[in-house]
Amino acid sequence: MSRVYPFDDAVTARAVIDDDGTLVEWSEGARRLLGHPAEAVVGRPAAGLLADDGVPDTPAGPRWDGTVSLRHRDGRTVPVWVLAHRRPAREDRPADWLVVTPLKDDAPALADDPLASATLMQSPCAMALYDERLRLRRQNDAMDDVVGLPEHRVRGLRPSEIGGKPQSEELERHLSEVLATGRPQEVRTSMRTGGEQHAHAWLAQMAPVTGPDGRVCGVSMAAHDLTENHLARERLQLVNEASMRIGSTLDVTRTAQELADVCVPGLADFVSVDLLEEQEHGGEPPARITTPVTLLRAAHRSVLPGAPDVVIELGSMASYPACSPQADSLTTGRTIIGRAASGELRPWLEANPRRARWVREFGVHSLMSVPIRARGLTLGVAVLTRHRRPDPFTADDMLLAEEITARAAVCIDNARRYSRERETALALQRSLLPRTLPRTAALEACSRYLPAARTGVGGDWFDVIPLSGMRVAMVVGDVVGHGVQASATMGRLRTAVRTLADIDLAPDELLTHLDDLVVRLSEESGGDGGTGEVGATCLYAVYDPVSRRCTLARAGHPPPVLLRPGGRPRLLDLPAGPPLGLGGLPFESVEMDLPEGTVLALYTDGLVHSRDREGEAGRELLYGALQGYTGSLDVTCDSILRALLPAGGAAADDVALLLARTLGLPATQVSTWDIPADPALVAPIRKQVVEQLDTWGLAEAAFTTELVVSELVTNAIRYGSRPIRLRLIHDATTLICEVSDTSHTAPHLRRAKTFDEGGRGLLLVAQLTQRWGSRHTPEGKTIWAELPLYEEE
């Protein structure tokens, strides 16, 4: 028994053949073609219907067509063109071949067949036919609706006569070209057709109409309304533009202005952006907004030149009552659309006569207030108005405005949080950096620090540290990273350097201890047994104005630039050393003579390195600016920054710069004695010291100095090793007593018992001087004490 073919009809012959060549389906059209009823052929080999002895090869592809000779029921041969499709297996049937061929319809054609004109007249697409003179011959019902007039009213008119607009004349010109060339054209235009309130986007497809002889005798035009697609494309383009233009910087005002610029004129004729006031101490905006709301005008944009439609100036504060769209959208957290014609804006306008005049003067007819929200907090409101565009805001416009505003809200929130963190880090940085550099007899110094324009405050630092013996230490460092964490790490390293400098470590030893500290900081920052990413570079130098020698070492930091008197700037050749934080690698010191008046430039890599410069171009600029030194370190600092940083001083990375000019202590301000290892000879030494002080004009300090010298020399004779040497150094404010010996044993204070005869020497020194200490040298140690040469107020 045959299966009923589900799509069987009288004008199509269909058959289904399974993979083994058996007929499994036979339609009524197949019976009409070959005369075989279904029950006579279904279930039998399909090859039995072939008139030829040979069987065609199985087609290799999924489809085959061609002419085959088939055997009719009455014995004659029928040539048939067939189309065969390979159908894959499904759950309800195996794979098979569907074979079809069309049959002629024997039904007589009707003279007034409605299908003959349905192609044109009943098509949902607006269509029109023009003759060789571009006079309208036919147009369908859809074109009647577009034109706004029925066909019998406009038949015989040209397109420009029917439309009467510049766009109509443009369409007529293109129709004329199609008529002349015989080539079809597509034209996109925007125009308001008959009966429409607003312009629509149209695609006009024009094609030539030819007669039996092939001659072009007219033109057909099909009009497609692409308004929705056009608007969707414009919205998508505006969203894409917003994603690229909004948030180019981490500046709140700039981001607000970018939001206004994107929306005009693509979405509105005037846009204002008002933000809530910044909270004290960098707090978050309130979770709940109450009226009246005070807002700061952060940005606005108008389609009118000079923005005459501005009511509130930039940077001004304005209060919005409960009846205003701004307050409504802020308190409810949703977008408000208001239309002037409906009276929705009347309470708000009556509360502000100036704004009411603005609405009347510029013809504002539609307003949309969109809250600016991020992380569940309300940051402000964007108000969009239309007065030049005639169409009011729609629901699609609202979705578009909310999408753009949401993107801007994230950027504004990021900018606010960045600004708060930047101010916090900058305040921390400034509190940790020296506000003023100490005045010393060893050198004059001047410094600059500039935070990065984009990445914010980093971990660059500099310092000038007075040491014993009139020496001074100079340090410049750079902590990896930016923000509060980098500033805090910088503060810890600067404190560590000062502590290590106080015990008079050599530069390479100091960097070794600092490296150990950075390793520990990395371990602490990692947590859970992991390793953090704390790292830093550092340059440490010690200058002695007596010997005029400088000892330097660096840990992965850029080497300093040296300018000797009368010479040219050059880069000091120092061993680079590993950056701080690697642990276990050695550092190397270099010692050199520096004539008085030598200028040293210590800096961080943000000064000389830039993506806009290649190779050593930055240092060449530094050399040029330093070559212009004329005696003022302050002026030279400014010259260097102008030469190496972009206009406005906005560096890509933070910059620290320290300039130092070396001074020399005259030999007349230094006196040295070799001390014999005999306590009985201390008295003559004291006498020579008093005489030297008298020569220097420091007789007022003789008594105290004599006591200190006596205690230090006696202590060295008793506990130290030969040779022993006493040195006095003074400048305008300080007298320094130094006693050196070859013993490496460090002295220390101890509390003497009541009946002890000794043990009070260093305690006495500590009481008589402003500070004292010891430092190790390659030969042994030096005990030093400083006495002030002026009365403190």
Side-chain angles (χ1 to χ4, degrees):
M1 179 177 181
S2 67
R3 291 188 292 172
V4 177
Y5 192 78
F7 301 106
D8 199 11
D9 56 60
V11 295
T12 302
R14 301 172 187 262
V16 176
I17 306 172
D18 63 14
D19 280 346
D20 62 2
T22 302
L23 276 168
V24 294
E25 292 183 18
W26 188 260
S27 71
E28 175 61 21
R31 188 200 62 78
R32 286 185 53 210
L33 176 65
L34 298 178
H36 300 285
E39 57 270 16
V41 293
V42 170
R44 298 183 179 183
L49 296 175
L50 295 174
D52 300 330
D53 295 333
V55 178
D57 294 334
T58 302
R63 194 183 78 171
W64 180 88
D65 69 278
T67 301
V68 294
S69 297
L70 300 178
R71 182 179 294 107
H72 195 275
R73 184 182 183 184
D74 59 10
R76 57 190 171 90
T77 299
V78 181
V80 179
W81 178 87
V82 298
L83 176 64
H85 297 279
R86 172 67 173 174
R87 301 192 304 182
R90 296 190 313 190
E91 293 182 358
D92 58 340
R93 61 167 175 78
D96 55 26
W97 284 89
L98 170 65
V99 182
V100 297
T101 187
L103 302 179
K104 292 183 179 180
D105 191 355
D106 297 331
L110 302 177
D112 56 347
D113 185 3
L115 295 178
S117 61
T119 302
L120 173 66
M121 302 310 297
Q122 295 184 17
S123 171
C125 175
M127 301 181 67
L129 293 175
Y130 301 90
D131 60 19
E132 67 275 10
R133 297 175 301 170
L134 291 185
R135 300 288 181 177
L136 179 67
R137 179 67 64 87
R138 298 291 305 275
Q139 74 179 25
N140 63 3
D141 297 340
M143 185 63 81
D144 287 349
D145 295 335
V146 171
V147 174
L149 294 169
E151 176 192 311
H152 70 276
R153 295 291 187 187
V154 294
R155 187 183 298 120
L157 299 179
R158 297 204 317 270
S160 60
E161 297 170 334
I162 297 174
K165 297 180 178 64
Q167 295 92 330
S168 305
E169 297 176 359
E170 181 71 11
L171 287 175
E172 185 172 305
R173 184 179 67 82
H174 286 285
L175 287 169
S176 178
E177 291 177 359
V178 173
L179 190 65
T181 63
R183 292 193 295 270
Q185 290 190 21
E186 287 189 355
V187 179
R188 293 178 182 270
T189 185
S190 177
M191 61 185 298
R192 184 168 60 86
T193 58
E196 290 184 339
Q197 297 296 322
H198 309 292
H200 282 210
W202 294 95
L203 171 64
Q205 292 180 308
M206 308 170 186
V209 177
T210 57
D213 57 356
R215 185 179 65 86
V216 177
C217 59
V219 184
S220 67
M221 182 176 69
H224 307 276
D225 188 349
L226 303 181
T227 304
E228 289 303 321
N229 291 338
H230 177 73
L231 292 177
R233 192 162 50 248
E234 282 190 338
R235 295 187 184 103
L236 183 60
Q237 181 177 354
L238 196 59
V239 170
N240 183 60
E241 183 180 358
S243 65
M244 293 187 295
R245 292 178 57 185
I246 298 176
S248 62
T249 65
L250 286 171
D251 180 82
V252 174
T253 303
R254 177 72 177 272
T255 304
Q257 187 61 54
E258 289 168 347
L259 168 59
D261 293 344
V262 165
C263 293
V264 175
L267 189 55
D269 299 323
F270 180 82
V271 174
S272 64
V273 180
D274 297 325
L275 300 177
L276 291 169
E277 290 185 275
E278 288 279 359
Q279 301 297 305
E280 293 185 2
H281 310 297
E284 296 280 13
R288 184 173 180 271
I289 307 297
T290 58
T291 56
V293 187
T294 301
L295 300 173
L296 171 71
R297 174 58 54 87
H300 53 229
R301 179 68 183 271
S302 172
V303 294
L304 302 178
D309 44 354
V310 171
V311 178
I312 300 172
E313 297 298 329
L314 292 176
S316 301
M317 305 296 298
S319 179
Y320 294 90
C323 60
S324 64
Q326 290 91 337
D328 287 346
S329 59
L330 286 172
T331 55
T332 62
R334 58 184 181 87
T335 301
I336 303 295
I337 296 180
R339 296 176 175 82
S342 65
E344 298 169 327
L345 305 179
R346 185 178 297 113
W348 175 52
L349 298 178
E350 290 177 349
N352 192 322
R354 182 183 178 189
R355 187 171 282 108
R357 288 195 305 271
W358 166 69
V359 170
R360 290 194 302 271
E361 180 179 353
F362 292 99
V364 176
H365 60 84
S366 187
L367 176 147
M368 180 163 51
S369 180
V370 186
I372 302 173
R373 292 176 56 82
R375 296 186 297 117
L377 298 173
T378 302
L379 308 177
V381 61
V383 177
L384 298 80
T385 58
R386 287 181 177 176
H387 53 77
R388 174 177 288 185
R389 292 176 56 164
D391 49 316
F393 289 112
T394 64
D396 289 335
D397 294 330
M398 181 177 69
L399 293 176
L400 177 60
E402 289 176 341
E403 171 70 17
I404 296 175
T405 304
R407 292 172 180 263
V410 173
C411 297
I412 291 175
D413 182 52
N414 288 339
R416 277 192 165 180
R417 297 168 68 185
Y418 165 78
S419 297
R420 288 197 299 268
E421 181 176 345
R422 177 183 171 86
E423 290 301 322
T424 301
L426 191 57
L428 177 61
Q429 181 88 327
R430 286 171 176 164
S431 69
L432 296 174
L433 289 175
R435 296 187 179 182
T436 58
L437 298 178
R439 298 172 61 89
T440 69
L443 52 80
E444 295 176 359
C446 185
S447 63
R448 294 289 188 273
Y449 171 76
L450 292 176
R454 289 181 177 271
T455 54
V457 179
D460 290 14
W461 91 92
F462 57 88
D463 211 345
V464 174
I465 308 170
L467 302 177
S468 63
M470 295 292 179
R471 297 170 307 127
V472 65
M474 297 163 283
V475 58
V476 172
D478 185 359
V479 175
V480 174
H482 295 86
V484 176
Q485 184 63 38
S487 296
T489 302
M490 178 275 292
R492 300 175 74 174
L493 294 185
R494 178 172 178 253
T495 301
V497 170
R498 279 188 159 265
T499 302
L500 295 171
D502 280 345
I503 60 177
D504 269 314
L505 290 178
D508 55 336
E509 294 180 16
L510 183 142
L511 292 180
T512 299
H513 286 282
L514 200 61
D515 182 48
D516 293 338
L517 173 62
V518 174
V519 170
R520 289 196 298 273
L521 292 178
S522 295
E523 293 172 352
E524 292 174 2
S525 67
D528 298 328
T531 301
E533 298 181 354
V534 178
T537 62
C538 185
L539 170 65
Y540 186 77
V542 175
Y543 173 69
D544 186 345
V546 178
S547 65
R548 293 175 174 80
R549 293 186 67 79
C550 185
T551 306
L552 309 94
R554 63 187 180 115
H557 200 82
V561 175
L562 180 72
L563 175 63
R564 296 179 185 270
R568 298 180 61 83
R570 68 180 182 87
L571 198 67
L572 281 183
D573 185 14
L574 296 180
L580 300 174
L582 297 184
L585 298 177
F587 301 94
E588 185 177 350
S589 294
V590 171
E591 189 174 7
M592 63 183 63
D593 292 319
L594 293 183
E596 184 175 359
T598 299
V599 176
L600 273 172
L602 288 71
Y603 52 89
T604 55
D605 58 2
L607 180 68
V608 295
H609 291 169
S610 171
R611 286 176 291 183
D612 301 329
R613 293 192 292 263
E614 296 182 357
E616 294 295 309
R619 283 204 178 90
E620 293 296 333
L621 293 174
L622 175 59
Y623 298 157
L626 197 58
Q627 185 67 51
Y629 170 72
T630 58
S632 172
L633 295 178
D634 194 63
V635 171
T636 306
C637 276
D638 292 336
S639 299
I640 291 174
L641 295 184
R642 282 196 302 269
L644 279 88
L645 301 185
D653 195 5
D654 46 342
V655 171
L657 171 65
L658 176 65
L659 292 186
R661 186 173 70 88
T662 61
L663 303 175
L665 205 63
T668 56
Q669 294 179 221
V670 181
S671 186
T672 305
W673 295 269
D674 290 327
I675 307 299
D678 186 355
L681 299 177
V682 173
I685 295 298
R686 290 202 305 265
K687 183 179 179 181
Q688 294 176 33
V689 168
V690 171
E691 291 174 353
Q692 182 63 56
L693 293 178
D694 188 58
T695 301
W696 285 341
L698 304 176
E700 294 182 356
F703 178 74
T704 304
T705 305
E706 188 178 4
L707 290 176
V708 171
V709 168
S710 178
E711 293 297 333
L712 293 182
V713 169
T714 301
N715 195 67
I717 293 173
R718 181 174 299 174
Y719 302 108
S721 303
R722 297 179 185 180
I724 301 172
R725 179 171 293 177
L726 168 65
R727 185 171 72 164
L728 295 184
I729 309 170
H730 84 91
D731 63 2
T733 61
T734 306
L735 174 65
I736 299 176
C737 302
E738 294 184 345
V739 177
S740 303
D741 67 83
T742 57
S743 170
H744 292 279
T745 303
H748 61 277
L749 288 174
R750 67 184 181 88
R751 183 178 298 277
K753 297 179 181 179
T754 304
F755 300 103
D756 285 350
E757 295 182 0
R760 298 178 179 85
L762 291 181
L763 180 61
L764 180 62
V765 170
Q767 295 297 318
L768 293 175
T769 61
Q770 65 179 4
R771 65 179 188 141
W772 76 279
S774 66
R775 66 176 181 269
H776 288 278
T777 65
E779 296 80 17
K781 69 175 181 299
T782 297
I783 312 299
W784 55 268
E786 293 183 0
L787 291 80
L789 295 179
Y790 58 90
E791 292 292 334
E792 295 185 0
E793 299 181 356

